[in-house]
Amino acid sequence: MKKLINDVANVLAESLDGFAAAHADLVQLDEERKFIRRKSLKGGKVALISGGGSGHEPLHGGFVGHGMLDAACPGQVFTSPTPDQMIAAAEAVDQGAGVLFIVKNYEGDLMNFEMAKEMAGRDIETVITNDDVAVEDSLYTTGRRGVAGTLVVEKIVGAAAETGQDLQTLKSLGEKVNKRSRSMGIALTSCTVPAAGKPTFSLGDDEMEMGVGIHGEPGRRRVKLMPADAIAEEMIVAILADLEAAKSSPVLLFVNGFGGTPAMELYLMYHAAAGALARRGVKIARSLVGSYVTSLDMAGCSLTVTALDEEMISFWDAPVHTPGLRWGM
Amino acid sequence: MKKLINDVANVLAESLDGFAAAHADLVQLDEERKFIRRKSLKGGKVALISGGGSGHEPLHGGFVGHGMLDAACPGQVFTSPTPDQMIAAAEAVDQGAGVLFIVKNYEGDLMNFEMAKEMAGRDIETVITNDDVAVEDSLYTTGRRGVAGTLVVEKIVGAAAETGQDLQTLKSLGEKVNKRSRSMGIALTSCTVPAAGKPTFSLGDDEMEMGVGIHGEPGRRRVKLMPADAIAEEMIVAILADLEAAKSSPVLLFVNGFGGTPAMELYLMYHAAAGALARRGVKIARSLVGSYVTSLDMAGCSLTVTALDEEMISFWDAPVHTPGLRWGM
């Protein structure tokens, strides 16, 4: 295992401390490292809290700030945060207008966020993301996995929350964005969890995993390495087959790197995916390209297509000021 | 070689086309793909042009936009752009106030930018960056290599250019920022140039390259893999030994990923480097963490320390609106 680390036991703590120090103008790390919170809270606003296993940075901690999350709870690598983290985060950022949990559909996360909701004694609602079309059930989920579409939910609901929308309205909006977002990923290499010290799975020199999950979970099938155009074509076909709304709505095309893939390849994949959409008459209205929902050092990428409407476009364009996503201010 | 590409001959063209399409709100790609230019030029302003071999994205094309570059010329992977590219770029973006070339110190780049300057028949000045303290002369340079400090020069000089500073003033400012910026890099793996199809160099499973260049050029020595704290310590010692100004000035600490290293490790390196600075009484005033000056898919990172003054801080903080760096607007 080759990583820029000291002791595997301290990877998360040292990385969180570095993150909090580098972005001290925007965020604060709880003393016990239970959560990352927005430095300046906005009174009267519904508090948005997300979280999940670490190793997907900048998701979720990197999306704490104006126009996105109020707090994020980092679990150990690829491991759900514990309920006490979400309870402490809610205590810290609840402004009296209620709390919205945004949770990726993994059994551990669902269980722990649900437990936190029951124990917190607050007005809490939950939006569950499950945008991955690759597989129906999977290693860690009943139903579909929540992947990069979660960023889109956090951005759009985050912008709506800044305008003062109430908890139920935000929950409905989050469910709408999730329903109109579909993703699929592929891996060229495995990731390596620091504590495990070896790759999560093995791929031959000429193989790739089609439909991989963001923890290196198996996808649809193991195939020979394909050209970028063919990869994008298969992913876009799978996504559009499940996203009726893209036939009549402009879309956001989000090309997401998994951590080990450079920008040059992501932009080439954007070109390939945009071509696949254009051939089907789908109009791209917004774009995002970068490594935002990662899987440690895995090489590969995912495509997310979100069918937009005017409300969603307006919230997507709204100012955001977080360590990982920043525009308009 | 495992990459998200189609034909190796088309990697650059397809990636540039994807980049231009994804960021059509900010930039335009020349029809012959000679340069990327800012979509909206600002009359009366000195035009800033950079460029170099591709494979370092987002540098330089990703830094075209308000507050940074007016144009960038992408060469083939790790190969200097040709003089006709810089001449065409200057023709497109010169607003009558002159042109400033920002050039990383590599022999091919120097020669081609110099030739363009002579042939263009315009008022052109040049700032050469050479911030890498790892080695004195190297595989492709006489003198030191220009590496991630180039981003700092482009950001600060770009902000100054927006305020209407003249060509000579900007050249002096660029030289000052370069002189006050020092960098050093390490690699855990090689990069793979698409056209070569195999790694540029080989490293054992337990080895790293200390002082590596951004094309995978040899550094100071090949060593056994070290803990992050020890790596940061050695880099910071080498940097500070050559940066007298950091003893009395607040600094920018810039932790740069080379393309194959995820955010989690970069933040851990930030933590390690910040500790090494703190132990020497150096005060961090600004921070930047991310993969901005990459080496294709190489795993590793560089540290850059810039000794700031009030003018530099003010220009660093000024609004920037480019595909790769965006804040304040």
Side-chain angles (χ1 to χ4, degrees):
Chain A
M1 172 176 62
K2 280 186 159 179
K3 287 186 187 290
L4 296 167
I5 60 175
N6 293 301
D7 186 328
V8 291
N10 301 330
V11 169
L12 180 58
E14 292 173 16
S15 184
L16 285 173
D17 288 354
F19 172 82
H23 302 291
D25 53 330
L26 297 174
V27 300
Q28 287 176 341
L29 179 63
D30 166 59
E31 276 182 23
E32 298 178 65
R33 302 193 186 92
K34 286 182 175 175
F35 58 88
I36 294 156
R37 58 160 276 188
R38 200 197 283 217
K39 195 173 170 192
S40 307
L41 296 172
K42 188 170 175 178
K45 166 186 171 300
V46 172
L48 266 54
I49 299 178
S50 190
S54 292
H56 305 301
E57 293 72 23
L59 187 85
H60 298 273
F63 302 142
V64 172
H66 178 92
M68 258 176 121
L69 301 175
D70 293 276
C73 301
Q76 289 295 320
V77 172
F78 293 176
T79 304
S80 172
T82 50
D84 64 303
Q85 294 183 255
M86 283 72 94
I87 293 168
E91 169 77 29
V93 301
D94 186 351
Q95 300 290 295
V99 175
L100 186 66
F101 284 166
I102 299 176
V103 187
K104 302 192 298 303
N105 187 35
Y106 294 95
E107 282 166 15
D109 292 303
L110 288 191
M111 191 179 70
N112 289 333
F113 273 92
E114 181 62 27
M115 206 178 296
K117 180 179 166 181
E118 285 169 17
M119 292 166 66
R122 295 173 186 281
D123 192 11
I124 299 178
E125 292 288 353
T126 304
V127 171
I128 299 165
T129 63
N130 61 351
D131 51 305
D132 189 347
V133 301
V135 291
E136 280 305 322
D137 296 316
S138 78
L139 206 53
Y140 309 117
T141 65
T142 304
R144 290 179 170 181
R145 303 175 293 215
V147 291
T150 310
L151 176 151
V152 186
V153 173
E154 292 178 1
K155 171 68 184 81
I156 289 177
V157 177
E162 294 292 340
T163 69
Q165 291 196 357
D166 67 25
L167 185 55
Q168 289 304 325
T169 308
L170 293 172
K171 177 181 163 72
S172 299
L173 177 62
E175 286 168 346
K176 179 175 89 169
V177 177
N178 176 61
K179 203 172 158 186
R180 292 169 73 97
S181 297
R182 293 290 183 274
S183 304
M184 189 159 144
I186 63 102
L188 301 185
T189 70
S190 177
C191 47
T192 298
V193 176
K198 57 183 177 45
T200 303
F201 61 104
S202 64
L203 273 171
D205 283 347
D206 60 347
E207 287 181 328
M208 55 179 276
E209 181 74 23
M210 176 63 73
V212 74
I214 58 173
H215 310 90
E217 310 99 296
R220 292 185 165 189
R221 61 190 206 284
R222 185 71 52 93
V223 294
K224 294 287 175 197
L225 189 58
M226 291 157 57
D229 284 345
I231 294 171
E233 179 79 10
E234 180 163 344
M235 291 161 95
I236 290 295
V237 166
I239 286 169
L240 292 182
D242 204 69
L243 189 61
E244 186 65 24
K247 286 189 182 154
S248 53
S249 309
V251 303
L252 161 71
L253 172 58
F254 170 23
V255 178
N256 173 60
F258 280 145
T261 291
M264 183 177 231
E265 293 178 47
L266 297 181
Y267 283 115
L268 194 149
M269 279 300 294
Y270 179 91
H271 180 255
L277 287 172
R279 283 191 294 279
R280 290 168 179 82
V282 178
K283 184 177 152 32
I284 299 172
R286 295 294 182 273
S287 301
L288 184 68
V289 182
S291 295
Y292 293 105
V293 180
T294 59
S295 306
L296 295 167
D297 51 355
M298 190 159 82
C301 74
S302 63
L303 302 181
T304 298
V305 177
T306 298
L308 299 166
D309 60 22
E310 281 186 24
E311 177 189 43
M312 291 163 73
I313 290 177
S314 151
F315 287 135
W316 179 260
D317 290 344
V320 60
H321 196 184
T322 70
L325 209 63
R326 189 181 298 202
W327 58 68
M329 65 188 293
Chain B
M1 174 176 62
K2 279 185 157 178
K3 286 186 187 291
L4 294 167
I5 60 175
N6 293 299
D7 187 327
V8 290
N10 301 330
V11 169
L12 180 58
E14 292 173 17
S15 184
L16 285 172
D17 288 355
F19 172 82
H23 302 291
D25 53 330
L26 296 174
V27 300
Q28 286 176 341
L29 178 64
D30 166 62
E31 277 182 22
E32 298 177 66
R33 301 193 187 91
K34 285 182 175 175
F35 58 89
I36 294 156
R37 58 160 277 188
R38 200 197 283 221
K39 195 175 171 191
S40 307
L41 296 172
K42 189 169 174 179
K45 167 187 170 301
V46 172
L48 265 55
I49 299 179
S50 190
S54 293
H56 305 300
E57 294 72 22
L59 186 86
H60 297 275
F63 303 142
V64 171
H66 178 91
M68 259 176 118
L69 302 174
D70 294 277
C73 302
Q76 288 294 320
V77 172
F78 293 176
T79 304
S80 172
T82 51
D84 65 303
Q85 293 182 256
M86 284 70 95
I87 294 169
E91 167 78 28
V93 301
D94 186 351
Q95 300 290 296
V99 175
L100 186 67
F101 285 165
I102 300 176
V103 186
K104 301 192 298 302
N105 187 34
Y106 294 96
E107 283 168 12
D109 292 304
L110 289 190
M111 189 180 73
N112 288 332
F113 272 92
E114 181 62 30
M115 205 179 295
K117 180 180 167 180
E118 284 170 16
M119 293 167 66
R122 295 173 187 280
D123 192 11
I124 299 179
E125 293 287 354
T126 302
V127 171
I128 298 166
T129 62
N130 61 351
D131 51 307
D132 189 346
V133 301
V135 291
E136 280 305 324
D137 297 317
S138 78
L139 206 54
Y140 309 118
T141 65
T142 303
R144 290 179 170 183
R145 303 174 294 214
V147 291
T150 310
L151 175 152
V152 186
V153 173
E154 293 178 359
K155 171 67 185 82
I156 289 176
V157 177
E162 294 292 341
T163 69
Q165 291 195 356
D166 66 25
L167 185 55
Q168 290 303 327
T169 308
L170 293 173
K171 177 182 163 72
S172 300
L173 177 62
E175 286 168 348
K176 178 175 91 167
V177 178
N178 176 62
K179 205 172 157 187
R180 294 170 70 95
S181 297
R182 292 291 182 274
S183 304
M184 189 159 144
I186 62 104
L188 301 186
T189 71
S190 176
C191 48
T192 298
V193 176
K198 57 183 177 45
T200 302
F201 62 104
S202 64
L203 273 172
D205 283 346
D206 60 347
E207 288 181 328
M208 55 180 276
E209 181 74 23
M210 176 63 73
V212 73
I214 58 172
H215 311 91
E217 310 98 300
R220 293 183 165 192
R221 61 189 207 285
R222 184 73 51 94
V223 294
K224 294 286 175 198
L225 189 59
M226 292 156 57
D229 283 346
I231 295 171
E233 180 79 12
E234 180 162 342
M235 292 160 94
I236 290 295
V237 166
I239 286 169
L240 292 183
D242 204 70
L243 188 61
E244 186 64 24
K247 285 188 184 154
S248 53
S249 310
V251 304
L252 162 71
L253 172 58
F254 169 23
V255 178
N256 174 59
F258 280 146
T261 290
M264 183 177 232
E265 293 178 48
L266 297 180
Y267 282 115
L268 193 149
M269 280 299 295
Y270 179 92
H271 179 256
L277 289 172
R279 283 191 294 279
R280 290 167 179 83
V282 178
K283 185 177 150 36
I284 300 172
R286 295 292 183 275
S287 303
L288 184 68
V289 182
S291 295
Y292 292 106
V293 180
T294 59
S295 307
L296 296 167
D297 51 354
M298 190 158 82
C301 72
S302 62
L303 302 182
T304 297
V305 177
T306 299
L308 299 166
D309 60 21
E310 280 186 25
E311 177 190 41
M312 292 164 74
I313 289 177
S314 150
F315 288 136
W316 178 260
D317 290 344
V320 60
H321 197 183
T322 70
L325 209 61
R326 189 183 298 202
W327 59 69
M329 66 188 292

